[in-house]
Amino acid sequence: MIYSYALIAIVAFALTGWMLSFATHKYSHVDSMWSLFMLMTACVSAIFMLDLSLRAWLVLGAVSVWALRLSIFLTWRNWGKEDHRYDTIRKNNEPHFWLKSLYIIFGFQALLAWAISYPLYVSISSQSPMQWLDGAAIVLFVTGFYWEAVADWQLMQFRRKNTGADGVLQTGLWRYSRHPNYFGECLIWWGFALFGAATGNPWVWFSPVIMTFLLLKVSGVSLMEQTIHSRRPGYAEYAKRTNAFIPGIPK
């Protein structure tokens, strides 16, 4: 029942984002909402618990730090401009895209976020004692958060100093992976799943599997690699010696 309440809150938030698109005629703000959808599941779960366990506080704190950082970063990055992905989606779904966007963009992402955030609900609503899986979850989350946050910061600094469209970042964490931020995001969700697994719930593994698939095959690595070779001439040489996802020593 509590998990259903989280869905109601997420859908209401998604509707707010959809109505905002009427005024702005832009849809990139859904990227900033994505991590907040997950945070809403955690917060709603915590509100309905009379007594939060240590695990619940750890998960609530972790997801808050992750969600707020990512949302603020994406808001800053997309401010005043529209992501080319949404321009393409708009062109492919005219006429009446203003209405179709309700389920193509906002509704779909809201439902997907609710499903992926299931381990958060499981972890926060459980009173089972802490165990070694919780320790492993903390290590995975901290490692993933480092890779994601530092990679985003390094890319932001690179773009600030190199305004040319053909520049390729090949230093820092980007020396070991072509998409270190996506790798960090993946680790974060495997960490949240470990928190859920520590409660004995086997269904939490659905979440990181779906997130990994999305990052590799749908909205992450695969989508970026489709056009980046033509936009950045030096990227082909960079790709020959650098792993796409899992960090490794450059060839």
Side-chain angles (χ1 to χ4, degrees):
M1 183 63 71
I2 296 176
Y3 190 46
S4 300
Y5 293 153
L7 176 60
I8 294 173
I10 289 173
V11 169
F13 187 40
L15 285 172
T16 302
W18 178 60
M19 289 187 287
L20 179 62
S21 68
F22 295 165
T24 62
H25 302 289
K26 291 181 173 64
Y27 302 88
S28 291
H29 56 275
V30 74
D31 291 343
S32 301
M33 297 170 65
W34 168 255
S35 62
L36 300 182
F37 287 145
M38 319 287 199
L39 179 58
M40 293 182 79
T41 295
C43 290
V44 170
S45 301
I47 289 172
F48 283 91
M49 289 297 296
L50 296 177
D51 184 26
L52 294 179
S53 65
L54 175 58
R55 178 187 297 110
W57 282 112
L58 287 172
V59 172
L60 188 59
V63 72
S64 297
V65 170
W66 164 78
L68 293 174
R69 187 212 70 87
L70 185 57
S71 180
I72 292 170
F73 170 75
L74 293 176
T75 300
W76 175 87
R77 190 191 69 179
N78 295 333
W79 191 262
K81 57 187 177 182
E82 181 77 323
D83 192 298
H84 67 88
R85 294 173 299 162
Y86 297 109
D87 285 332
T88 302
I89 294 173
R90 188 205 309 253
K91 292 176 182 177
N92 293 337
N93 290 278
E94 292 289 6
H96 308 303
F97 181 67
W98 67 270
L99 179 59
K100 295 176 181 177
S101 65
L102 173 61
Y103 56 87
I104 292 176
I105 294 180
F106 295 96
F108 173 73
Q109 292 205 32
L111 290 175
L112 186 61
W114 177 67
I116 291 175
S117 64
Y118 179 69
L120 304 178
Y121 157 71
V122 171
S123 303
I124 293 174
S125 60
S126 174
Q127 291 291 335
S128 61
M130 296 279 288
Q131 55 172 295
W132 70 270
L133 283 175
D134 294 291
I138 293 172
V139 171
L140 270 184
F141 173 82
V142 171
T143 304
F145 186 82
Y146 172 84
W147 275 85
E148 183 178 57
V150 172
D152 282 343
W153 182 82
Q154 289 174 345
L155 183 60
M156 179 180 67
Q157 296 300 313
F158 176 80
R159 287 177 173 172
R160 181 177 297 173
K161 297 175 182 176
N162 300 270
T163 57
D166 57 349
V168 179
L169 175 56
Q170 305 179 47
T171 58
L173 299 182
W174 299 82
R175 180 173 182 264
Y176 306 102
S177 169
R178 304 202 299 272
H179 302 279
N181 49 347
Y182 293 146
F183 171 71
E185 179 80 352
C186 184
L187 288 187
I188 285 171
W189 282 97
W190 282 98
F192 285 141
L194 277 179
F195 276 121
T199 71
N201 189 318
W203 296 104
V204 296
W205 298 114
F206 166 85
S207 171
V209 169
I210 292 299
M211 181 61 81
T212 303
F213 176 77
L214 291 174
L215 290 171
L216 287 175
K217 301 298 183 181
V218 182
S219 62
V221 174
S222 178
L223 184 64
M224 290 290 293
E225 298 273 328
Q226 287 176 9
T227 60
I228 197 169
H229 287 268
S230 59
R231 291 185 288 110
R232 301 179 186 275
Y235 194 83
E237 185 63 30
Y238 169 59
K240 289 180 181 179
R241 63 175 182 272
T242 310
N243 290 354
F245 189 66
I246 300 176
I249 302 299
K251 300 180 181 64

